[in-house]
Amino acid sequence: MADMTDDAWREKVMMLEGGCFCGAVQYRMAGPPIYVNCCHCRDCQTLTGSAFALNAMIERDRVTVLQGDPAPDKEGGMRCPACGVLLWGFHPLFGDRILFLRAGTLDESERLKPDAHFFVRSKHPWVTLAGDIPAFDTLPVDERLFSVAQQERVESAMRS
């Protein structure tokens, strides 16, 4: 693999699989996510039953369901119809072309590191953030979050 570019190598090694708690729904994520955020908003805390949600933003066509049939929920996400685990959701800015995969449903979720922390104003006080990861009080709107390559992936997905 010495002749492969860093991006080509990442694409090849970032083939992750995951699924719901009961195993009825299994999926594969082909390639690295566009962006990974750790969201500390109260909605994500409630939806996950935890202190935050780790979301992997990725093009819908890069996620393949291998087994089962995820069902839509009233919040606009996709869940296992048997155990109810939220597998991914959608954001109004991106429609259904980009999904926000709940990284905790990946078999090897530890391979994803957040690019940023959102809604740290409502983070639990015992959660310590790494100093090298940008943190925002709310959802950043005036910040340029994406690299040129990430922005190109978003634009390409929105055109398809």
Side-chain angles (χ1 to χ4, degrees), residues 99-114:
L99 55 84
F100 290 79
L101 190 135
R102 293 298 177 140
T105 65
L106 289 164
D107 296 340
E108 299 176 83
S109 60
E110 69 276 7
R111 291 181 59 194
L112 299 184
K113 177 182 175 185

Side-chain angles (χ1 to χ4, degrees), residues 11 13 19 23 29 39 44 47 49 58 72 74 90 99 103 105 113 119 121 126-127 138 145 148 159:
E11 290 284 333
V13 300
M29 183 180 86
C39 186
C44 282
L47 284 168
I58 190 163
K74 65 181 180 178
F90 302 96
L99 55 84
T105 65
K113 177 182 175 185
F119 289 97
R121 70 179 182 195
W126 48 263
V127 172
T138 62
L145 293 177
V148 171
R159 283 191 302 267

Side-chain angles (χ1 to χ4, degrees), residues 1-96:
M1 278 199 261
D3 61 337
M4 295 179 82
T5 66
D6 282 347
D7 287 339
W9 181 81
R10 278 191 199 89
E11 290 284 333
K12 185 170 180 65
V13 300
M14 189 57 75
M15 186 79 78
L16 297 175
E17 293 186 0
C20 65
F21 182 73
C22 74
V25 177
Q26 299 292 310
Y27 67 85
R28 177 178 296 129
M29 183 180 86
I34 296 168
Y35 198 82
V36 178
N37 75 70
C38 186
C39 186
H40 301 266
C41 78
R42 295 291 185 201
D43 287 344
C44 282
Q45 291 172 5
T46 300
L47 284 168
T48 62
S50 185
F52 54 82
L54 190 62
N55 300 297
M57 179 183 182
I58 190 163
E59 299 91 330
R60 185 179 190 135
D61 64 2
R62 289 186 181 218
V63 176
T64 303
V65 175
L66 303 173
Q67 174 181 304
D69 190 19
D73 66 13
K74 65 181 180 178
E75 291 86 26
M78 298 299 285
R79 293 182 179 273
C80 170
C83 67
V85 165
L86 178 63
L87 299 162
W88 56 79
F90 302 96
H91 191 281
L93 291 175
F94 303 103
D96 65 353

Side-chain angles (χ1 to χ4, degrees), residues 116-145:
H117 289 272
F118 297 158
F119 289 97
V120 296
R121 70 179 182 195
S122 53
K123 113 180 152 49
H124 291 205
W126 48 263
V127 172
T128 304
L129 305 181
D132 62 334
I133 299 173
F136 302 92
D137 280 341
T138 62
L139 186 64
V141 289
D142 295 330
E143 302 288 331
R144 177 146 177 100
L145 293 177

